[in-house]
Amino acid sequence: MEKKSSPFSLIMQYAGSHNNKYVCSVILAIISVVCGMVPYFAVAKMVTAMTGHEDKDLSFFAGWCTAAAVGYIAKGIFNGISTGVSHTATYLTMKEIRLKLISKLTRMPMGTILGSPSGYYKDVIVDRVEGIEVPLAHLLPEMTANVLAPVLMLIYLFTLDWRLALISLITIPVGMAVMSTTMKSYGENYGKSVEIGGRMTNAIVEYMGGIEVIKAFSQSKSSYEKYETAVNDNAAFFYGWMKSAQWAMSAYNAITPSVLLTVLPFGFLFYSSGSLSAESFITMIIISLGLLEPLIAAMNYTDNIARVGTVMGQINDVLASPEISRTDKDRDISGNTIEFRNVTFSYDDEKEALKNVSLLIPEGKVTALVGASGSGKSTVAKLIAGFWDVNDGELLIGGRNVRDIPLEVQAGRIAYVEQNNFLFDETVMENIRKGRASATDEEVIAAAKAAGCDEFIRGLDKSYHTVVGSAGGHLSGGERQRIAIARAMLKDAPIVILDEATAYIDPENEAVIQNAIAKLVQGKTVIVIAHRLSTITDADNIIVMNDGAVAAHGKHKELLENSELYRSMWQAHTGTKGGAAE
Amino acid sequence: MISAFRKIWDFAGSEQKNIKTSIVLALLHSVFYALQFAAVFVILKALTGEDRSKINALYAFGIMAVSVIGRIVLNTYSQLQRVHAGYFMVANKRISIGNKLRTVPMGYFSKNNPGQMTAITTTTLTDVENTAPVVLVTILGGFINSVVFALSVLLFDRRIGIIVFIGMAAFIWTTSLQEKHSRKGAPERQRAQETVVEKVLEAVQGISVIKSFHLGETSDSAVKSAIEKSCDKNLAIEKQMTPYQIFQQIVLNLFAVIIMIVSAVLYKNGSMELADAVMMFVASFMVFEQMKSAGISIATLRIAESSIDKANETDNVPVMDEGGKSISLTSHDIAFENVDFSYGERKILDNISFDIKEKTTTAIVGPSGSGKTTMCSLIAHFWDVNSGRVTIGGNDVREFTLDSLMKNISMVFQNVYLFSDTVENNIKFGFPNATHEQVVEAAKKACCHDFIMQLPNGYDTVLEEGGTSLSGGERQRLSIARAILKDSPIIILDEATANVDPENEDRLQAAIEALMEDKTIIMIAHRLKTVRKADQILVLDSGHIVQHGTHAELEKQEGIYSRFIRQREQAESWHIAGQNA
């Protein structure tokens, strides 16, 4: 019971101000149920009059038929409004949940979000939440109505004849007993079904994701066979499971609502022994017909409860995940010197990505971070950019601990340029203007010129008004990168972080990108992560990272003399470097 | 509605017979359901006739027992047929999609994300599995049931029977009315929903941009207003639909009341017997039940229909004629003879001709968009040429089966795909019979051995799907090891894609050099060192070969190549100046 109640308390919590709508919907549903019982009483009245050979005139029948009609109409209207209100409350609740999730995203470490597959949050915010619409909208009013109606009718049956009323309940435990025979193996089968379904999904994902490789390596036959087997196994398993469980489900569905199975024979026995009047008996038959419909409907809700529960669990996982801890006081920083004091950081609480790192990045200088992959150089850059909070130690910008400055202030001082730059599904103009919302068109175009993208932008279908981004625009990686650089130029932030920004993303246009970057970094505090050591030999300071710690730092020449690690990196680099340096 | 049934029916394919059986069994099921009337009738007859003999109780119980047992048996088999149809028609569709992918032009996958197709094959088809057969059997079965009910009422009393039929017709009319209206709102609702998806994806993927450019508020408001708008749309549709839903509910019930009135009148004027009239009162509650549940399922029918439409999109994927022969080659000379190729309307290659001698290195140079990648992929028959021909060892690539062609070619892909299998099996993917020693040898040549040995289980470590646990360069080198083991005489590679892991550039270069030993090489070149060493250089510009020769020859000519060389020299010697410099 504990498990079943929790999704509802969660929903109530999210529904917030819409709770009264649900209450209203339930009340309407109850009214609808009561109205829906009127026709049964009307018919019972008419039939008992007929079988009792009372000589009623047509107006008697007309009266009760009208009552039945009014009951039906009222039932329809109240039920319709109840479902409508409940749907409204559900849509509003879904909206609240989505807005909560969205605002949660802004408080989570950026790194957590960027580290998840891009579809994950969309899946939770859009699809998962969508999935609760139908169960939630129908659950409360209909569940109430469908449980309440049989209960009310039963109470009435008990007032007519308690023995027969009790007997009418027999089919319920019998049906459940039959059903429970399959529940024993349910857990086991469910586990297996998840496994086999998962295997099929993996086979499909691999076959489709790897189809190029599969074809290129002439493995389409064997891979296809694997795929086919997984698909067939899945279908066969589910069918087999159904085959073993179906008869019990069918029995449950047939027996449980068949109250007539007991009411008819026992009622007749009571009648023939004289302990039950024909009138009461007929009334009870008619009323028990009314038990059927809601009982069948109520049976279908157990699934829905489970589904809502699962979804609420997933939503809660997101809402309960750790948040970035920053002050919300509006404080500014003076100066752009960056300092790490004994900083320790771990992505997963297992392996420390940075171990007790202390380093200084002076204002107005170019500092290069070098080291092997996994050495921690990217982590240093990401911490400066505010993707994560440090676990231990202090990160200071302009002499102030970043925990004491709002993330917006920190982010506002930094331009972070990486290989994969995100563009919004808007025009080129608007994408660049994101750098500074107040920039005029002329300023945007000037930034684009400086970043070397004016020319190709003018070659696009609608020039600066071409829509780019995920949906269309067919921009190459290098073109996207230059737009991102233009955006950063417009922002004119005092600290510039270049995260592998000069890598071979678009070799044809590498020189243009390099020129753009040279303009971007002029006069700034620059932190550059670069693989090609030759690009950073002139840096004011080079920090050599190794295994989450600072191994050495200094200028290129000093490091060549003092650091064996740097020397070997330099040799490896110059060994492969073709071209002018030779 | 009929078209939706048609779609499900066509989709069912070889499972149609199971659906048919299921519907027939559902029909029989309804006969047993209707037996309840007989039980009630026996009792009513006895009551109105003042017959108190206890045998009537036994009759009623007997009939009810037969009804229940019959329903259990028929429902079990009807459901099983239906479930079989559901699971296997979807399995068949999945298999046919998989089969189709074998004949899709290779190039299709470089242009289209396989994610879409994966989503259809997994999620969308699961929706079909869960909805289509249920809906078909419930609705068709429900309607047929109702007709059987109505017919039995008709036999019982013609006048009431006619009312039942009119009631059903009226219900179908209101249902189709409701259906029409809900269809009207659907596209708008869908669009609002799509906007939410777009904005949420933007807010998630662009989170670093949003934060660093202070876009928190504006972007938040974009997502929020999308969510608000989608909610408003839903509310508006709900409001609009409510009267129809009420109307639909009331219609059948009003006909139930009409049955009561007519029965009462007929009883009063003596043209209907007491027991019959009572029976009709009772029947008024049950006769429309099946119809109602069929009506409710129509909403699900719409879901099933749209899922099937989406699944059928996979039918539009292009296929290539796979009628090739298995050809084994003695020479690996490659030739383009007057090749034209367009992608859609856009002409990519225009009358291209050149020869590549076996065991030589050809470097392809040119600005982005000049057709370099397309030219390489035509060698592997990723696409069919529009005119002219591409030959290997004198045979047109179109004459090969894909397998016999690809045996000769290794491509170093832009996107390295690793399977969630062991490292060893990933390396020997193209050569399943390789021994462990051969695998290790290839891994050593590709500079993978060291990092593989550092994995928890060495060569037996199982990789995550897509190989995400490895760095870009490690994945790239594993794929090179795979190609080394495959040992194809022709190697096609793009130097830029081989540079995904700049930190280990030296090791990647060593791996590529190991792969290229003694092979026919076609590479899209970016490094000066590579072009200098190439046996021939093809310079492409807007789909034409504008220069052709060796480095020494081309260097002296003023043109794209000399510009390329100057740019590369500049780019490769570029560095970020210190601020004090």
Side-chain angles (χ1 to χ4, degrees):
Chain A
M1 282 319 283
E2 194 62 33
K3 264 184 199 156
K4 279 186 182 170
S5 65
S6 69
F8 287 104
S9 59
L10 280 172
I11 288 164
M12 284 301 155
Q13 190 188 320
Y14 297 130
S17 58
H18 311 304
N19 273 342
N20 51 7
K21 288 208 176 60
Y22 280 119
V23 173
C24 176
S25 151
V26 169
I27 292 171
L28 288 170
I30 293 171
I31 296 174
S32 157
V33 167
V34 175
C35 293
M37 287 163 66
V38 173
Y40 289 97
F41 289 104
V43 168
K45 278 281 175 229
M46 288 187 278
V47 171
T48 45
M50 283 154 76
T51 51
H53 301 293
E54 298 170 39
D55 191 26
K56 298 284 185 186
D57 59 12
L58 260 180
S59 69
F60 167 83
F61 289 100
W64 281 112
C65 282
T66 311
V70 170
Y72 273 138
I73 292 171
K75 175 192 171 191
I77 291 173
F78 283 112
N79 182 42
I81 297 174
S82 161
T83 334
V85 170
S86 146
H87 260 111
T88 306
T90 301
Y91 287 131
L92 291 170
T93 305
M94 284 160 61
K95 182 179 87 179
E96 299 294 336
I97 294 176
R98 285 181 172 149
L99 293 179
K100 273 214 170 69
L101 286 166
I102 288 288
S103 77
K104 173 76 186 185
L105 283 185
T106 61
R107 295 191 306 274
M108 283 163 69
M110 270 188 272
T112 308
I113 298 168
L114 294 173
S116 309
S118 62
Y120 176 73
Y121 291 100
K122 174 239 151 194
D123 188 51
V124 173
I125 297 172
V126 182
D127 302 336
R128 298 285 144 190
V129 175
E130 196 69 27
I132 63 173
E133 181 214 312
V134 174
L136 192 54
H138 292 268
L139 199 57
L140 272 177
E142 288 178 25
M143 189 77 169
T144 323
N146 289 316
V147 171
L148 192 71
V151 168
L152 288 182
M153 290 194 171
L154 265 174
I155 291 173
Y156 184 60
L157 287 187
F158 272 96
T159 63
L160 288 176
D161 189 299
W162 66 270
R163 300 164 303 172
L164 198 54
L166 211 56
I167 286 168
S168 76
L169 294 176
I170 290 176
T171 56
I172 297 172
V174 172
M176 286 182 166
V178 175
M179 189 66 175
S180 70
T181 58
T182 60
M183 295 313 274
K184 264 178 250 148
S185 56
Y186 181 83
E188 193 192 324
N189 278 319
Y190 180 75
K192 251 191 236 163
S193 77
V194 169
E195 190 196 319
I196 287 176
R199 223 183 291 153
M200 179 185 74
T201 305
N202 285 342
I204 292 173
V205 168
E206 284 219 347
Y207 181 73
M208 300 200 166
I211 189 79
E212 266 187 296
V213 181
I214 290 168
K215 288 187 171 204
F217 285 88
S218 315
Q219 297 298 314
S220 60
K221 187 160 178 282
S222 66
S223 292
Y224 170 73
E225 277 162 8
K226 231 164 105 180
Y227 168 93
E228 190 182 17
T229 312
V231 167
N232 276 330
D233 282 355
N234 179 67
F237 174 81
F238 276 97
Y239 179 66
W241 184 12
M242 285 298 127
K243 214 172 171 179
S244 69
Q246 186 59 54
W247 78 268
M249 288 199 299
S250 294
Y252 173 73
N253 286 328
I255 294 170
T256 315
S258 291
V259 283
L260 291 179
L261 188 64
T262 50
V263 169
L264 286 182
F266 284 99
F268 195 81
L269 289 180
F270 295 149
Y271 161 75
S272 63
S273 66
S275 60
L276 179 65
S277 71
E279 286 71 30
S280 295
F281 185 27
I282 290 174
T283 307
M284 291 185 87
I285 292 174
I286 290 164
I287 301 281
S288 57
L289 287 177
L291 287 173
L292 297 178
E293 191 189 350
L295 264 183
I296 296 170
M299 279 181 210
N300 298 324
Y301 285 102
T302 33
D303 258 11
N304 283 345
I305 295 174
R307 215 180 313 156
V308 173
T310 323
V311 173
M312 293 319 281
Q314 283 167 321
I315 290 167
N316 245 29
D317 283 347
V318 175
L319 287 177
S321 67
E323 298 184 1
I324 201 152
S325 71
R326 289 302 176 90
T327 178
D328 41 13
K329 285 190 198 115
D330 195 13
R331 281 198 180 130
D332 207 351
I333 328 173
S334 54
N336 301 304
T337 304
I338 297 159
E339 193 183 352
F340 280 61
R341 282 188 196 156
N342 308 103
V343 168
T344 297
F345 176 76
S346 163
Y347 288 99
D348 52 7
D349 294 329
E350 278 174 30
K351 196 170 165 273
E352 285 177 347
L354 293 183
K355 298 168 195 161
N356 202 23
V357 166
S358 295
L359 54 84
L360 188 77
I361 295 171
E363 175 158 8
K365 306 275 183 186
V366 173
T367 304
L369 292 163
V370 301
S373 91
S375 63
K377 59 184 194 306
S378 276
T379 309
V380 168
K382 289 202 161 80
L383 288 176
I384 297 172
F387 278 48
W388 308 91
D389 275 339
V390 302
N391 297 131
D392 259 316
E394 293 179 327
L395 165 59
L396 300 96
I397 298 179
R400 176 166 274 161
N401 191 327
V402 291
R403 284 188 191 276
D404 297 330
I405 31 179
L407 189 61
E408 289 73 32
V409 172
Q410 178 185 0
R413 296 190 88 83
I414 295 167
Y416 188 87
V417 182
E418 53 190 323
Q419 266 188 31
N420 297 316
N421 295 279
F422 184 80
L423 298 184
F424 293 87
D425 198 14
E426 294 174 28
T427 62
V428 175
M429 185 74 89
E430 289 313 310
N431 263 293
I432 298 177
R433 211 197 304 271
K434 299 267 184 227
R436 179 156 46 89
S438 62
T440 62
D441 285 4
E442 287 70 34
E443 286 171 307
V444 168
I445 293 168
K449 280 186 178 150
C453 41
D454 183 63
E455 196 185 328
F456 84 78
I457 293 171
R458 290 188 190 279
L460 298 172
D461 288 351
K462 293 181 182 163
S463 184
Y464 278 87
H465 301 290
T466 310
V467 174
V468 297
S470 50
H474 296 301
L475 295 182
S476 74
E479 288 166 344
R480 299 171 78 92
Q481 184 166 32
R482 277 180 279 161
I483 290 180
I485 292 172
R487 186 162 67 189
M489 277 181 172
L490 207 54
K491 183 180 182 185
D492 198 26
I495 300 170
V496 176
I497 302 176
L498 302 172
D499 191 350
E500 303 278 21
T502 60
Y504 264 128
I505 188 161
D506 187 0
E508 286 90 358
N509 295 301
E510 205 175 5
V512 188
I513 295 170
Q514 289 166 345
N515 282 335
I517 287 177
K519 283 187 194 140
L520 174 67
V521 301
Q522 256 166 27
K524 303 285 161 63
T525 303
V526 182
I527 297 136
V528 53
I529 298 175
H531 58 283
R532 278 188 280 165
L533 296 184
S534 60
T535 60
I536 48 101
T537 50
D538 283 350
D540 299 303
N541 189 26
I542 298 169
I543 297 173
V544 185
M545 300 288 300
N546 186 35
D547 201 17
V550 177
H553 65 94
K555 287 190 185 287
H556 175 66
K557 286 225 171 74
E558 297 162 11
L559 288 171
L560 276 183
E561 280 169 33
N562 306 331
S563 167
E564 197 179 324
L565 179 62
Y566 186 77
R567 205 158 44 234
S568 71
M569 285 166 62
W570 178 251
Q571 275 158 7
H573 176 66
T574 48
T576 60
K577 187 170 158 270
E582 281 179 346
Chain B
M1 207 166 77
I2 304 295
S3 73
F5 284 135
R6 181 92 244 156
K7 265 178 207 160
I8 298 176
W9 188 247
D10 290 342
F11 188 90
S14 62
E15 289 295 323
Q16 282 172 359
K17 63 176 192 326
N18 284 321
I19 292 182
K20 262 189 230 161
T21 319
S22 179
I23 290 173
V24 170
L25 291 172
L27 186 64
L28 285 175
H29 175 263
S30 72
V31 172
F32 282 89
Y33 187 81
L35 265 186
Q36 295 185 96
F37 283 110
V40 174
F41 190 68
V42 165
I43 297 295
L44 288 180
K45 197 88 188 168
L47 286 178
T48 52
E50 312 255 333
D51 169 8
R52 286 184 186 257
S53 73
K54 290 199 166 67
I55 192 77
N56 287 314
L58 198 63
Y59 286 152
F61 181 78
I63 296 170
M64 278 307 296
V66 170
S67 162
V68 168
I69 291 167
R71 276 186 280 156
I72 294 173
V73 172
L74 287 162
N75 186 254
T76 302
Y77 287 102
S78 163
Q79 292 284 338
L80 279 180
Q81 299 297 322
R82 199 205 75 201
V83 165
H84 191 281
Y87 284 115
F88 283 91
M89 74 189 211
V90 164
N92 290 342
K93 183 73 183 178
R94 285 184 172 132
I95 287 167
S96 87
I97 291 173
N99 203 10
K100 187 157 191 185
L101 288 190
R102 299 168 72 175
T103 57
V104 168
M106 289 277 284
Y108 180 80
F109 298 103
S110 19
K111 294 262 176 209
N112 295 278
N113 186 345
Q116 175 85 22
M117 192 164 296
T118 312
I120 288 176
T121 313
T122 52
T123 318
T124 310
L125 281 178
T126 303
D127 289 343
V128 174
E129 192 171 77
N130 291 333
T131 54
V134 184
V135 141
L136 198 63
V137 174
T138 322
I139 296 182
L140 279 186
F143 281 134
I144 296 171
N145 268 349
S146 306
V147 172
V148 172
F149 258 53
L151 279 176
S152 49
V153 174
L154 197 69
L155 290 177
F156 197 86
D157 188 294
R158 200 172 309 143
R159 296 158 296 194
I160 304 292
I162 289 166
I163 297 171
V164 174
F165 273 110
I166 297 173
M168 279 164 45
F171 181 72
I172 291 173
W173 175 68
T174 54
T175 306
S176 69
L177 206 65
Q178 190 210 359
E179 174 71 7
K180 241 181 247 156
H181 272 263
S182 71
R183 262 178 206 277
K184 245 191 264 166
E188 245 182 294
R189 182 174 187 268
Q190 186 65 27
R191 264 197 300 282
Q193 181 77 3
E194 276 161 12
T195 316
V196 173
V197 172
E198 253 167 56
K199 293 295 163 198
V200 167
L201 275 178
E202 254 185 25
V204 172
Q205 292 168 347
I207 188 101
S208 63
V209 180
I210 290 167
K211 286 200 177 170
S212 70
F213 291 106
H214 280 295
L215 302 172
E217 271 161 42
T218 49
S219 131
D220 257 24
S221 67
V223 189
K224 282 179 184 161
S225 80
I227 291 174
E228 297 271 359
K229 211 171 155 197
S230 147
C231 178
D232 290 347
K233 272 270 123 38
N234 282 330
L235 292 179
I237 289 174
E238 183 61 35
K239 211 170 188 176
Q240 210 190 348
M241 290 310 297
T242 304
Y244 289 98
Q245 275 155 357
I246 292 174
F247 188 45
Q248 191 194 15
Q249 272 215 351
I250 292 176
V251 163
L252 278 183
N253 289 333
L254 286 186
F255 275 90
V257 175
I258 293 173
I259 293 174
M260 292 177 200
I261 295 170
V262 173
S263 304
V265 170
L266 291 177
Y267 165 68
K268 280 311 278 186
N269 70 20
S271 63
M272 193 186 265
E273 295 231 350
L274 174 60
D276 294 0
V278 172
M279 191 62 214
M280 284 302 110
F281 273 103
V282 174
S284 77
F285 291 114
M286 297 166 86
V287 76
F288 293 123
E289 281 309 307
Q290 299 275 339
M291 200 76 188
K292 259 187 230 164
S293 53
I296 290 166
S297 298
I298 287 186
T300 326
L301 180 68
R302 211 158 42 231
I303 299 172
E305 189 187 1
S306 72
S307 299
I308 285 183
D309 282 342
K310 210 163 158 206
N312 285 339
E313 279 171 22
T314 54
D315 296 343
N316 302 329
V317 173
V319 286
M320 236 174 9
D321 194 13
E322 272 283 285
K325 292 175 295 211
S326 186
I327 298 172
S328 44
L329 293 171
T330 46
S331 139
H332 296 100
D333 294 345
I334 298 167
F336 273 55
E337 297 168 16
N338 308 103
V339 169
D340 275 355
F341 179 76
S342 306
Y343 191 78
E345 292 288 291
R346 236 175 82 217
K347 191 147 206 172
I348 310 283
L349 296 178
D350 188 6
N351 197 24
I352 296 277
S353 299
F354 62 86
D355 291 302
I356 293 172
K357 284 265 156 298
E358 84 177 330
K359 296 188 181 167
T360 62
T361 299
T362 302
I364 302 168
V365 169
S368 61
S370 58
K372 302 186 295 277
T373 311
T374 310
M375 206 163 86
C376 289
S377 50
L378 288 181
I379 298 172
H381 196 197
F382 273 31
W383 306 101
D384 277 333
V385 297
N386 295 102
S387 68
R389 60 186 208 135
V390 178
T391 62
I392 299 178
N395 301 283
D396 193 316
V397 291
R398 282 171 293 194
E399 289 166 13
F400 291 79
T401 58
L402 183 68
D403 280 2
S404 71
L405 177 66
M406 291 312 293
K407 231 171 239 151
N408 298 295
I409 302 172
S410 279
M411 308 194 73
V412 176
F413 287 102
Q414 191 150 11
N415 302 318
V416 177
Y417 194 88
L418 298 174
F419 297 92
S420 66
D421 202 336
T422 61
V423 172
E424 172 137 357
N425 284 337
N426 265 292
I427 294 177
K428 63 182 193 187
F429 185 73
F431 184 27
N433 299 328
T435 63
H436 179 66
E437 286 66 34
Q438 287 172 308
V439 170
V440 173
E441 197 194 322
K444 279 183 177 159
K445 275 191 192 155
C447 305
C448 302
H449 184 73
D450 291 345
F451 84 78
I452 293 171
M453 292 313 284
Q454 278 175 11
L455 295 173
N457 296 313
Y459 282 85
D460 296 325
T461 309
V462 174
L463 297 175
E464 281 171 38
E465 188 259 320
T468 45
S469 46
L470 300 175
S471 81
E474 287 166 343
R475 290 207 297 272
Q476 193 63 261
R477 275 180 279 152
L478 268 188
S479 83
I480 291 171
R482 190 145 77 180
I484 288 176
L485 197 61
K486 186 184 169 191
D487 199 27
S488 306
I490 299 168
I491 310 281
I492 300 173
L493 76 98
D494 180 346
E495 229 171 2
T497 67
N499 278 301
V500 289
D501 188 7
E503 295 162 17
N504 299 303
E505 211 180 336
D506 54 329
R507 266 168 269 177
L508 251 173
Q509 282 307 325
I512 289 174
E513 271 157 35
L515 174 67
M516 293 185 349
E517 255 169 60
D518 212 26
K519 298 280 158 56
T520 308
I521 316 287
I522 302 100
M523 71 190 325
I524 299 171
H526 303 294
R527 291 154 33 94
L528 289 168
K529 201 173 173 180
T530 315
V531 288
R532 279 191 190 130
K533 285 203 296 200
D535 298 300
Q536 69 170 339
I537 299 161
L538 300 172
V539 182
L540 267 181
D541 189 26
S542 331
H544 296 90
I545 294 180
V546 290
Q547 285 177 294
H548 179 190
T550 62
H551 175 72
E553 290 160 15
L554 296 179
E555 198 180 24
K556 292 170 209 132
Q557 302 171 9
E558 185 53 37
I560 291 188
Y561 186 74
S562 57
R563 272 208 305 281
F564 166 80
I565 295 295
R566 277 199 300 277
Q567 270 181 9
R568 291 313 308 159
E569 280 171 351
Q570 192 196 341
E572 287 180 18
S573 62
W574 183 81
H575 53 257
I576 293 179
Q579 299 293 26
N580 301 334

